[in-house]
Amino acid sequence: MIQITTLARSQLQRFLSLFFLVLILDQVTKNWAVQRGDFSLNSGVSLGILAGVPSWLLTVLLVAFIGFSAWCWQSFWRARPVLAGAFFGAASSNIFDRVRSGAVVDWIHVPGLKIQNNIADWVIVGVLVTVLLTQVQHDQKH
């Protein structure tokens, strides 16, 4: 039987809390946008890139990328369970859309640009910017 330390349990709780918070918030707001009729379907990835790739292949590639990211950076993610939970919850929400309907629901209009995105996209960008700034700060100290 695997023993989970108090620290590990706390990290797992923080990870799961953020994972499900982001996933549920993103799915609820996407469903709300669909009910209002104010949304677009993005069959590609960021900004519609790879829109011509079959949905099943894109889903497999995204799942593989997320799995690879989790494996490569496991010590980084383990030390930052809140960031990890938010990132993987957001990614899972977009993958859920893709599996369910072949495309991701985008509904947030970006002012000044002719693009839409969703909460999961903003969370992913926020986490990646935080990771980048954390790494730059770390490099400057060493």
Side-chain angles (χ1 to χ4, degrees):
M1 179 175 209
I2 299 174
Q3 268 193 337
I4 299 177
T5 65
T6 303
L7 177 61
R9 183 175 291 121
S10 171
Q11 289 175 317
L12 180 60
Q13 288 171 342
R14 285 185 280 174
F15 172 85
L16 291 174
S17 295
L18 263 291
F19 179 92
F20 286 112
L21 175 69
V22 170
L23 183 124
I24 291 168
L25 179 64
D26 188 56
Q27 287 298 308
V28 166
T29 57
K30 287 174 181 175
N31 287 330
W32 173 73
V34 168
Q35 288 175 356
R36 283 191 9 233
D38 186 19
F39 70 99
S40 63
L41 292 175
N42 181 354
S43 61
V45 290
S46 184
L47 302 175
I49 297 168
L50 301 177
V53 175
S55 182
W56 68 268
L57 179 58
L58 198 52
T59 301
V60 168
L61 291 172
L62 289 171
V63 169
F65 172 75
I66 289 170
F68 182 72
S69 297
W71 178 73
C72 282
W73 297 336
Q74 57 188 298
S75 63
F76 179 87
W77 291 124
R78 221 179 265 130
R80 294 160 185 85
V82 171
L83 286 177
F87 178 81
F88 291 109
S92 296
S93 184
N94 281 345
I95 289 172
F96 179 76
D97 282 3
R98 195 168 301 287
V99 168
R100 181 181 57 196
S101 62
V104 174
V105 174
D106 286 336
W107 63 274
I108 299 172
H109 299 271
V110 179
L113 301 174
K114 294 182 180 184
I115 61 170
Q116 289 178 299
N117 52 29
N118 55 57
I119 289 174
D121 294 340
W122 283 99
V123 169
I124 290 168
V125 168
V127 169
L128 293 177
V129 167
T130 302
V131 167
L132 178 64
L133 293 175
T134 300
Q135 188 60 46
V136 167
Q137 188 178 39
H138 177 267
D139 290 348
Q140 288 176 346
K141 288 181 181 178
H142 295 94

